[in-house]
Amino acid sequence: MIRPRIPRGRRGLLASGGALVAVAVAVAVLVSAVGGTGRTAVRRSATYPDGLPHTRVTVSAGGCGQGWTSGRAGDQVFDVHNASSGPAEVDLVDPGTGAVYGEVEGLAPDTTRPLQVTLGGGSYAFKCLPDDADALTGPTVRIAGPAQAGPAAVPVTQHDLIPPTIAYQQWIGGQMGQLADKVGALRDAIDSGDFDAARAAWLPAHLVYERMGAAYGTFGDADKAINGTTAGLPQGTSDPRFTGFHRIEYGLWHGQSGDQLRGPADQLAKDVDQLRSTWPQARMDPAQLGLRAHEILENTEQFELTGRTDYGSGSNLATARANLDGTTTALGYLRPLLTTARLPQLPRVDAALDRVRHTLDGFGSDGHWSALNALSRAQREQVNADVGAAVEQLAAVAAVCDVRRTS
């Protein structure tokens, strides 16, 4: 199910229950949102409950990472203090490759935040990116030893994301004709009064739309018109603003007449034609493609696997399978950016998606799908577990593809 959502940045993707957690993604960072001042900032000699060594580093108008001159390997915490007059992002990087080992976003003036990292043998430096000012890289600190550093990610820039976004947008344009044809077949069946044919035509048309999931933010109001639900509508299924696929689904599976359904079917065809005609002028935001690849299955978990979008057809599992196709399509266009240097656990992402595919395919054959409420408890638990695991893995893709400043 395509749902408008509030875009979230890296911090939202790494948060759980309001607390920031360490995640084994390409950027491994624990940024606790606790403020402090220069007067209350912890000192190097203090004893810390986490049992880790702490080093205080300072960001100022003319310097970055001041206070760190020698390093040790292993788990440790940098207490990053902003002594400048404006907010800044602070990254711990490999100065040779630009790979990011940890980051603190939106560090306000006179504020201290802890940055936990695992360092191995190699060269490191702090890079400070103040708002409305050029980046500044601090001195390089070399650490000796065979210890292995934690995960790092070579930043993805807006420029990197433009080619895959354009290619994906062109793919969406190629699907528009198929969508219009299948919606036309659905409308014709309703016009002729052949409701068996209309019910058979509804699902194939709907699934074409569901496979286009990473574009929903660019569809704008058309998404609500084409694929909206009764959420927020005071009259529910009788509300005149309830339109699109689910309005027709409700009517076809609740015995409504041709007179009741012809208007919604005509409107759906018009809305699809309008979307198709305006799509060539649309512009997808490159910074959102990685986030959408994660959110498609997140929406599936929230709306399809709970049955909240079932208006009578019992096709939630078919929709979930189409959403999986949408996820893998978006991921395919991003794959050239997801190198080992950026996402070493990409094979785990693929394995998680393969498990979801195998599980869902067990409930459908020749266009016929089991209804969600026909599954046993063990089957529901398996579906939920597999999709949930894939959503967790895809959070890494969204985190890696979140655009970072490099200068």
PDB file of all heavy atoms in Angstrom, residues 312-334:
ATOM      1  N   GLY A 312     -12.467  -5.909   1.237  1.00  0.00           N
ATOM      2  CA  GLY A 312     -13.307  -7.018   0.803  1.00  0.00           C
ATOM      3  C   GLY A 312     -12.632  -8.032  -0.077  1.00  0.00           C
ATOM      4  O   GLY A 312     -13.075  -9.188  -0.129  1.00  0.00           O
ATOM      5  N   SER A 313     -11.559  -7.675  -0.769  1.00  0.00           N
ATOM      6  CA  SER A 313     -10.953  -8.603  -1.727  1.00  0.00           C
ATOM      7  C   SER A 313     -10.073  -9.650  -1.058  1.00  0.00           C
ATOM      8  O   SER A 313      -9.758 -10.674  -1.673  1.00  0.00           O
ATOM      9  CB  SER A 313     -10.114  -7.824  -2.748  1.00  0.00           C
ATOM     10  OG  SER A 313      -8.974  -7.245  -2.129  1.00  0.00           O
ATOM     11  N   GLY A 314      -9.632  -9.404   0.172  1.00  0.00           N
ATOM     12  CA  GLY A 314      -8.735 -10.344   0.839  1.00  0.00           C
ATOM     13  C   GLY A 314      -7.392 -10.491   0.151  1.00  0.00           C
ATOM     14  O   GLY A 314      -6.784 -11.561   0.203  1.00  0.00           O
ATOM     15  N   SER A 315      -6.915  -9.407  -0.460  1.00  0.00           N
ATOM     16  CA  SER A 315      -5.720  -9.487  -1.301  1.00  0.00           C
ATOM     17  C   SER A 315      -4.484  -8.876  -0.669  1.00  0.00           C
ATOM     18  O   SER A 315      -3.536  -8.528  -1.367  1.00  0.00           O
ATOM     19  CB  SER A 315      -5.991  -8.797  -2.642  1.00  0.00           C
ATOM     20  OG  SER A 315      -6.322  -7.426  -2.455  1.00  0.00           O
ATOM     21  N   ASN A 316      -4.470  -8.732   0.657  1.00  0.00           N
ATOM     22  CA  ASN A 316      -3.327  -8.088   1.297  1.00  0.00           C
ATOM     23  C   ASN A 316      -2.007  -8.793   1.027  1.00  0.00           C
ATOM     24  O   ASN A 316      -0.964  -8.150   0.867  1.00  0.00           O
ATOM     25  CB  ASN A 316      -3.543  -8.010   2.806  1.00  0.00           C
ATOM     26  CG  ASN A 316      -4.596  -6.996   3.192  1.00  0.00           C
ATOM     27  OD1 ASN A 316      -5.640  -7.355   3.719  1.00  0.00           O
ATOM     28  ND2 ASN A 316      -4.344  -5.723   2.920  1.00  0.00           N
ATOM     29  N   LEU A 317      -2.025 -10.130   0.979  1.00  0.00           N
ATOM     30  CA  LEU A 317      -0.772 -10.855   0.737  1.00  0.00           C
ATOM     31  C   LEU A 317      -0.285 -10.651  -0.694  1.00  0.00           C
ATOM     32  O   LEU A 317       0.923 -10.572  -0.944  1.00  0.00           O
ATOM     33  CB  LEU A 317      -0.947 -12.337   1.050  1.00  0.00           C
ATOM     34  CG  LEU A 317      -1.168 -12.659   2.530  1.00  0.00           C
ATOM     35  CD1 LEU A 317      -1.480 -14.142   2.712  1.00  0.00           C
ATOM     36  CD2 LEU A 317       0.056 -12.276   3.353  1.00  0.00           C
ATOM     37  N   ALA A 318      -1.219 -10.555  -1.637  1.00  0.00           N
ATOM     38  CA  ALA A 318      -0.831 -10.242  -3.015  1.00  0.00           C
ATOM     39  C   ALA A 318      -0.220  -8.850  -3.093  1.00  0.00           C
ATOM     40  O   ALA A 318       0.781  -8.619  -3.793  1.00  0.00           O
ATOM     41  CB  ALA A 318      -2.049 -10.337  -3.935  1.00  0.00           C
ATOM     42  N   THR A 319      -0.811  -7.909  -2.352  1.00  0.00           N
ATOM     43  CA  THR A 319      -0.270  -6.552  -2.324  1.00  0.00           C
ATOM     44  C   THR A 319       1.111  -6.537  -1.692  1.00  0.00           C
ATOM     45  O   THR A 319       2.026  -5.854  -2.162  1.00  0.00           O
ATOM     46  CB  THR A 319      -1.211  -5.621  -1.556  1.00  0.00           C
ATOM     47  OG1 THR A 319      -2.502  -5.640  -2.179  1.00  0.00           O
ATOM     48  CG2 THR A 319      -0.693  -4.200  -1.550  1.00  0.00           C
ATOM     49  N   ALA A 320       1.287  -7.297  -0.609  1.00  0.00           N
ATOM     50  CA  ALA A 320       2.602  -7.383   0.023  1.00  0.00           C
ATOM     51  C   ALA A 320       3.640  -7.906  -0.960  1.00  0.00           C
ATOM     52  O   ALA A 320       4.784  -7.417  -0.995  1.00  0.00           O
ATOM     53  CB  ALA A 320       2.529  -8.275   1.256  1.00  0.00           C
ATOM     54  N   ARG A 321       3.245  -8.878  -1.758  1.00  0.00           N
ATOM     55  CA  ARG A 321       4.177  -9.424  -2.750  1.00  0.00           C
ATOM     56  C   ARG A 321       4.520  -8.380  -3.810  1.00  0.00           C
ATOM     57  O   ARG A 321       5.681  -8.287  -4.257  1.00  0.00           O
ATOM     58  CB  ARG A 321       3.566 -10.664  -3.391  1.00  0.00           C
ATOM     59  CG  ARG A 321       4.463 -11.370  -4.396  1.00  0.00           C
ATOM     60  CD  ARG A 321       5.736 -11.895  -3.716  1.00  0.00           C
ATOM     61  NE  ARG A 321       6.540 -12.658  -4.652  1.00  0.00           N
ATOM     62  CZ  ARG A 321       7.378 -12.123  -5.537  1.00  0.00           C
ATOM     63  NH1 ARG A 321       7.512 -10.792  -5.606  1.00  0.00           N
ATOM     64  NH2 ARG A 321       8.081 -12.895  -6.345  1.00  0.00           N
ATOM     65  N   ALA A 322       3.537  -7.582  -4.228  1.00  0.00           N
ATOM     66  CA  ALA A 322       3.806  -6.510  -5.182  1.00  0.00           C
ATOM     67  C   ALA A 322       4.701  -5.445  -4.562  1.00  0.00           C
ATOM     68  O   ALA A 322       5.581  -4.884  -5.229  1.00  0.00           O
ATOM     69  CB  ALA A 322       2.492  -5.889  -5.657  1.00  0.00           C
ATOM     70  N   ASN A 323       4.484  -5.151  -3.280  1.00  0.00           N
ATOM     71  CA  ASN A 323       5.357  -4.198  -2.590  1.00  0.00           C
ATOM     72  C   ASN A 323       6.788  -4.704  -2.555  1.00  0.00           C
ATOM     73  O   ASN A 323       7.744  -3.916  -2.667  1.00  0.00           O
ATOM     74  CB  ASN A 323       4.859  -3.974  -1.167  1.00  0.00           C
ATOM     75  CG  ASN A 323       3.543  -3.241  -1.075  1.00  0.00           C
ATOM     76  OD1 ASN A 323       2.894  -3.280  -0.039  1.00  0.00           O
ATOM     77  ND2 ASN A 323       3.111  -2.600  -2.151  1.00  0.00           N
ATOM     78  N   LEU A 324       6.962  -6.014  -2.372  1.00  0.00           N
ATOM     79  CA  LEU A 324       8.305  -6.587  -2.400  1.00  0.00           C
ATOM     80  C   LEU A 324       8.945  -6.367  -3.770  1.00  0.00           C
ATOM     81  O   LEU A 324      10.130  -6.019  -3.865  1.00  0.00           O
ATOM     82  CB  LEU A 324       8.250  -8.075  -2.074  1.00  0.00           C
ATOM     83  CG  LEU A 324       9.583  -8.820  -2.106  1.00  0.00           C
ATOM     84  CD1 LEU A 324      10.532  -8.280  -1.035  1.00  0.00           C
ATOM     85  CD2 LEU A 324       9.371 -10.317  -1.917  1.00  0.00           C
ATOM     86  N   ASP A 325       8.176  -6.560  -4.833  1.00  0.00           N
ATOM     87  CA  ASP A 325       8.690  -6.262  -6.173  1.00  0.00           C
ATOM     88  C   ASP A 325       9.102  -4.799  -6.288  1.00  0.00           C
ATOM     89  O   ASP A 325      10.140  -4.474  -6.884  1.00  0.00           O
ATOM     90  CB  ASP A 325       7.626  -6.574  -7.230  1.00  0.00           C
ATOM     91  CG  ASP A 325       7.414  -8.059  -7.435  1.00  0.00           C
ATOM     92  OD1 ASP A 325       8.299  -8.848  -7.064  1.00  0.00           O
ATOM     93  OD2 ASP A 325       6.340  -8.433  -7.968  1.00  0.00           O
ATOM     94  N   GLY A 326       8.282  -3.913  -5.713  1.00  0.00           N
ATOM     95  CA  GLY A 326       8.618  -2.497  -5.752  1.00  0.00           C
ATOM     96  C   GLY A 326       9.903  -2.189  -5.010  1.00  0.00           C
ATOM     97  O   GLY A 326      10.708  -1.359  -5.446  1.00  0.00           O
ATOM     98  N   THR A 327      10.100  -2.872  -3.898  1.00  0.00           N
ATOM     99  CA  THR A 327      11.326  -2.685  -3.122  1.00  0.00           C
ATOM    100  C   THR A 327      12.551  -3.136  -3.910  1.00  0.00           C
ATOM    101  O   THR A 327      13.561  -2.426  -3.981  1.00  0.00           O
ATOM    102  CB  THR A 327      11.239  -3.471  -1.803  1.00  0.00           C
ATOM    103  OG1 THR A 327      10.170  -2.956  -1.013  1.00  0.00           O
ATOM    104  CG2 THR A 327      12.544  -3.373  -1.018  1.00  0.00           C
ATOM    105  N   THR A 328      12.478  -4.334  -4.482  1.00  0.00           N
ATOM    106  CA  THR A 328      13.634  -4.860  -5.202  1.00  0.00           C
ATOM    107  C   THR A 328      13.926  -4.044  -6.462  1.00  0.00           C
ATOM    108  O   THR A 328      15.086  -3.910  -6.859  1.00  0.00           O
ATOM    109  CB  THR A 328      13.423  -6.332  -5.562  1.00  0.00           C
ATOM    110  OG1 THR A 328      12.192  -6.495  -6.287  1.00  0.00           O
ATOM    111  CG2 THR A 328      13.343  -7.188  -4.309  1.00  0.00           C
ATOM    112  N   THR A 329      12.889  -3.476  -7.073  1.00  0.00           N
ATOM    113  CA  THR A 329      13.122  -2.610  -8.235  1.00  0.00           C
ATOM    114  C   THR A 329      13.886  -1.360  -7.832  1.00  0.00           C
ATOM    115  O   THR A 329      14.885  -0.989  -8.461  1.00  0.00           O
ATOM    116  CB  THR A 329      11.787  -2.222  -8.893  1.00  0.00           C
ATOM    117  OG1 THR A 329      11.128  -3.401  -9.384  1.00  0.00           O
ATOM    118  CG2 THR A 329      12.017  -1.261 -10.062  1.00  0.00           C
ATOM    119  N   ALA A 330      13.428  -0.694  -6.773  1.00  0.00           N
ATOM    120  CA  ALA A 330      14.130   0.507  -6.309  1.00  0.00           C
ATOM    121  C   ALA A 330      15.552   0.172  -5.889  1.00  0.00           C
ATOM    122  O   ALA A 330      16.500   0.900  -6.203  1.00  0.00           O
ATOM    123  CB  ALA A 330      13.358   1.139  -5.151  1.00  0.00           C
ATOM    124  N   LEU A 331      15.710  -0.939  -5.192  1.00  0.00           N
ATOM    125  CA  LEU A 331      17.040  -1.350  -4.747  1.00  0.00           C
ATOM    126  C   LEU A 331      17.948  -1.640  -5.933  1.00  0.00           C
ATOM    127  O   LEU A 331      19.145  -1.360  -5.902  1.00  0.00           O
ATOM    128  CB  LEU A 331      16.921  -2.582  -3.856  1.00  0.00           C
ATOM    129  CG  LEU A 331      18.184  -3.050  -3.133  1.00  0.00           C
ATOM    130  CD1 LEU A 331      18.689  -1.976  -2.192  1.00  0.00           C
ATOM    131  CD2 LEU A 331      17.895  -4.334  -2.366  1.00  0.00           C
ATOM    132  N   GLY A 332      17.383  -2.192  -6.992  1.00  0.00           N
ATOM    133  CA  GLY A 332      18.167  -2.494  -8.183  1.00  0.00           C
ATOM    134  C   GLY A 332      18.790  -1.247  -8.787  1.00  0.00           C
ATOM    135  O   GLY A 332      19.947  -1.276  -9.243  1.00  0.00           O
ATOM    136  N   TYR A 333      18.057  -0.138  -8.800  1.00  0.00           N
ATOM    137  CA  TYR A 333      18.614   1.095  -9.354  1.00  0.00           C
ATOM    138  C   TYR A 333      19.673   1.700  -8.433  1.00  0.00           C
ATOM    139  O   TYR A 333      20.578   2.416  -8.902  1.00  0.00           O
ATOM    140  CB  TYR A 333      17.489   2.101  -9.619  1.00  0.00           C
ATOM    141  CG  TYR A 333      16.676   1.733 -10.841  1.00  0.00           C
ATOM    142  CD1 TYR A 333      15.443   1.092 -10.711  1.00  0.00           C
ATOM    143  CD2 TYR A 333      17.146   1.991 -12.120  1.00  0.00           C
ATOM    144  CE1 TYR A 333      14.701   0.732 -11.824  1.00  0.00           C
ATOM    145  CE2 TYR A 333      16.418   1.640 -13.248  1.00  0.00           C
ATOM    146  CZ  TYR A 333      15.191   1.006 -13.096  1.00  0.00           C
ATOM    147  OH  TYR A 333      14.468   0.634 -14.204  1.00  0.00           O
ATOM    148  N   LEU A 334      19.580   1.411  -7.139  1.00  0.00           N
ATOM    149  CA  LEU A 334      20.571   1.925  -6.194  1.00  0.00           C
ATOM    150  C   LEU A 334      21.808   1.042  -6.081  1.00  0.00           C
ATOM    151  O   LEU A 334      22.838   1.465  -5.566  1.00  0.00           O
ATOM    152  CB  LEU A 334      19.934   2.048  -4.797  1.00  0.00           C
ATOM    153  CG  LEU A 334      18.883   3.129  -4.629  1.00  0.00           C
ATOM    154  CD1 LEU A 334      18.152   2.944  -3.306  1.00  0.00           C
ATOM    155  CD2 LEU A 334      19.510   4.516  -4.702  1.00  0.00           C
TER     156      LEU A 334
END
